[in-house]
């Protein structure tokens, strides 16, 4: 019974670590996207290194390869959406950002993050066109939608 209780108490702490890291990465990416309309490859590489270090530490602590596998799939999965880049729906950096965050938060969460990001970006687009009289071709900083969506995924996990 103690093991179940300690597992329950540690779960929110684990979720907090995951989201502290990923929210920091997403916030910095969103700030860069708003400021310069770019998320540099240097930033993405640093994000991958942070995710890799985090996963190595988790593997050493837990000794369970399941987390590494989930991180690897979370890393690769966003690249399945490369067609959206080819159709000029999102930028290549946005896919790489999903990949960095997917490496940290895992497969199921990154899928939810991707779906929510498109919903949030759609709402942002409607607001930009309706209230700020932006053109239909106006390119929104998509990393902002990713950051907001990550907050929603985080809230879902802790509730």
């Amino acid at each position: 019974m103690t093991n179940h209780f300690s597992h329950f108490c540690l779960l929110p702490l684990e979720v907090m670590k995951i989201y502290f890291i990923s929210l920091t990465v997403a916030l910095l990416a969103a700030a860069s996207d708003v400021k310069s309309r770019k998320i540099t490859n240097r930033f993405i590489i640093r994000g991958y290194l942070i995710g890799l270090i985090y996963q190595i530490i988790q593997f050493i602590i837990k000794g369970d390869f399941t987390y590494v596998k989930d991180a690897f799939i979370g890393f690769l999965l966003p690249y399945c959406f490369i067609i959206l880049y080819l159709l000029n729906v999102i930028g290549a950096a946005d896919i790489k950002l999903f990949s960095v965050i997917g490496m940290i938060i895992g497969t199921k969460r990154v899928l939810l993050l991707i779906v929510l990001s498109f919903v949030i970006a759609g709402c942002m687009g409607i607001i930009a066109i309706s209230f700020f009289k932006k053109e239909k071709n106006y390119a929104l900083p998509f990393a902002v939608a990713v950051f907001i969506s990550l907050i929603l995924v985080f809230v879902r996990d802790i509730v």
Side-chain angles (χ1 to χ4, degrees), residues 30-91:
S32 174
D33 201 9
V34 167
K35 182 180 176 186
S36 66
R37 308 297 292 167
K38 291 183 179 183
I39 302 171
T40 65
N41 283 335
R42 177 179 277 167
F43 177 84
I44 295 296
I45 291 168
R46 288 180 183 155
Y48 282 140
L49 288 173
I50 289 167
L52 183 63
I53 291 167
Y54 174 75
Q55 293 304 334
I56 289 170
I57 290 169
Q58 291 306 306
F59 178 71
I60 291 169
I61 290 171
K62 295 177 181 170
D64 188 358
F65 193 72
T66 306
Y67 296 100
V68 176
K69 184 177 86 175
D70 189 46
F72 184 69
I73 295 170
F75 159 76
L76 287 178
L77 189 66
Y79 287 102
C80 294
F81 294 92
I82 199 78
I83 186 114
L84 297 175
Y85 165 71
L86 297 173
L87 295 172
N88 288 327
V89 175
I90 60 175

Side-chain angles (χ1 to χ4, degrees), residues 90-144:
I90 60 175
D94 299 318
I95 293 173
K96 291 182 265 187
L97 178 60
F98 280 132
S99 178
V100 167
I101 294 171
M103 176 187 266
I104 299 166
I105 67 175
T107 308
K108 290 178 184 174
R109 290 180 182 127
V110 80
L111 275 174
L112 179 59
L113 175 67
I114 291 168
V115 171
L116 281 174
S117 294
F118 281 102
V119 171
I120 296 293
C123 293
M124 288 170 54
I126 290 169
I127 291 168
I129 291 168
S130 300
F131 295 107
F132 300 110
K133 307 297 183 213
K134 299 292 183 182
E135 298 175 13
K136 287 184 180 179
N137 295 354
Y138 176 72
L140 292 167
F142 192 73
V144 173

